[in-house]
Amino acid sequence: FILATEACNGYMPLDRGPKPGEYSRAENYAWDIIKDLQNWAVGWTDWNLGLDLTGGPNWAKNMVDAPILLNTTSGAEMYKQPMYYYMAHFSRFVTPGSRRVKSLQEGGGGLGGLEGSVESVAFVTAQNQTVVVVLSTMDRSQECSIQWTDVNGSDRSVQLTLEARSLVTLMLPITEYGIEDGAGEGDDGVQEQVKSGGVSKRLGKVLIQTD
């Protein structure tokens, strides 16, 4: 299996060390996790879950950032950074036994890079619930329509606003396909669709459209 490791922020010479409360680093994490999971990784691990306020300790003086910063002087404070909460979208909702839904992307529209893009990854949990994580690094909000077919074969939909520069996790009601039905990697009948700026993806019985 493929396991993504050695991830961190704050390692570049001109952008080194902790930046408390920095959301761009959370976006970096979410984008990296989504892209890794889209490409066969079965998991994703951070280099350091917690560091002190200087980005250490580190014997090589390689001071970097972490999802949790600890005040080792007072010993009484810890700070959960945006990176921590962005990682939680995956660790809390993509539960053990989940299978990633095959995704198919068509067209361009700026979905290839981090800035000004919308990216998503979808899973079917062991309980046959569909979980879709959507990251927007757009500087404007977008109206979204999510459509799916429930266990009774009824078409359902919900509308929401995808806020500018946001991460959203959608937990859709149990679908009529799932792991017991053979859905998962390699199943052409279960694909993902996200449409943004003329780009579309398809997710079996679920459709996400953004303006």
Side-chain angles (χ1 to χ4, degrees), residues 10-16:
Y11 61 89
M12 297 297 290
L14 299 180
D15 191 34
R16 184 173 292 280

Side-chain angles (χ1 to χ4, degrees), residues 1-210:
F1 63 89
I2 300 175
L3 179 64
T5 63
E6 303 298 315
C8 77
N9 274 308
Y11 61 89
M12 297 297 290
L14 299 180
D15 191 34
R16 184 173 292 280
K19 282 189 173 181
E22 179 59 53
Y23 269 86
S24 66
R25 291 185 171 181
E27 290 179 345
N28 289 341
Y29 266 27
W31 189 85
D32 193 64
I33 293 170
I34 288 173
K35 299 305 288 188
D36 283 349
L37 295 178
Q38 285 176 346
N39 290 279
W40 311 105
V42 299
W44 191 96
T45 58
D46 198 342
W47 194 9
N48 303 284
L49 180 60
L51 294 172
D52 65 24
L53 297 180
T54 68
N58 188 297
W59 67 271
K61 306 302 181 185
N62 181 26
M63 305 306 188
V64 295
D65 210 345
I68 297 175
L69 295 178
L70 308 170
N71 187 334
T72 55
T73 301
S74 69
E77 297 175 325
M78 61 177 287
Y79 308 96
K80 294 179 181 178
Q81 299 223 70
M83 289 182 286
Y84 174 90
Y85 293 102
Y86 270 46
M87 290 174 65
H89 279 261
F90 303 91
S91 62
R92 293 181 182 179
F93 301 111
V94 184
T95 54
S98 298
R99 296 282 298 276
R100 182 176 69 84
V101 174
K102 181 179 179 181
S103 61
L104 175 64
Q105 182 170 319
E106 300 173 352
L111 289 188
L114 172 60
E115 285 300 317
S117 68
V118 174
E119 279 290 350
S120 66
V121 64
F123 301 86
V124 175
T125 69
Q127 293 73 40
N128 286 349
Q129 186 167 50
T130 299
V131 175
V132 184
V133 184
V134 184
L135 170 69
S136 172
T137 59
M138 304 286 287
D139 289 326
R140 63 177 179 86
S141 62
Q142 299 180 84
E143 295 304 312
C144 294
S145 173
I146 299 99
Q147 305 165 37
W148 72 96
T149 303
D150 64 19
V151 291
N152 299 315
S154 301
D155 292 332
R156 302 180 62 180
S157 66
V158 64
Q159 284 71 44
L160 74 152
T161 299
L162 185 61
E163 298 294 343
R165 310 202 80 95
S166 63
L167 183 66
V168 176
T169 296
L170 307 167
M171 299 184 66
L172 303 180
I174 294 175
T175 55
E176 64 180 78
Y177 59 83
I179 294 174
E180 290 103 346
D181 300 326
E185 296 293 355
D187 188 331
D188 293 334
V190 185
Q191 298 177 338
E192 175 184 5
Q193 180 160 12
V194 173
K195 189 173 184 181
S196 176
V199 180
S200 63
K201 304 175 183 178
R202 186 169 182 83
L203 172 74
K205 308 267 192 245
V206 179
L207 176 67
I208 305 173
Q209 293 182 315
T210 59

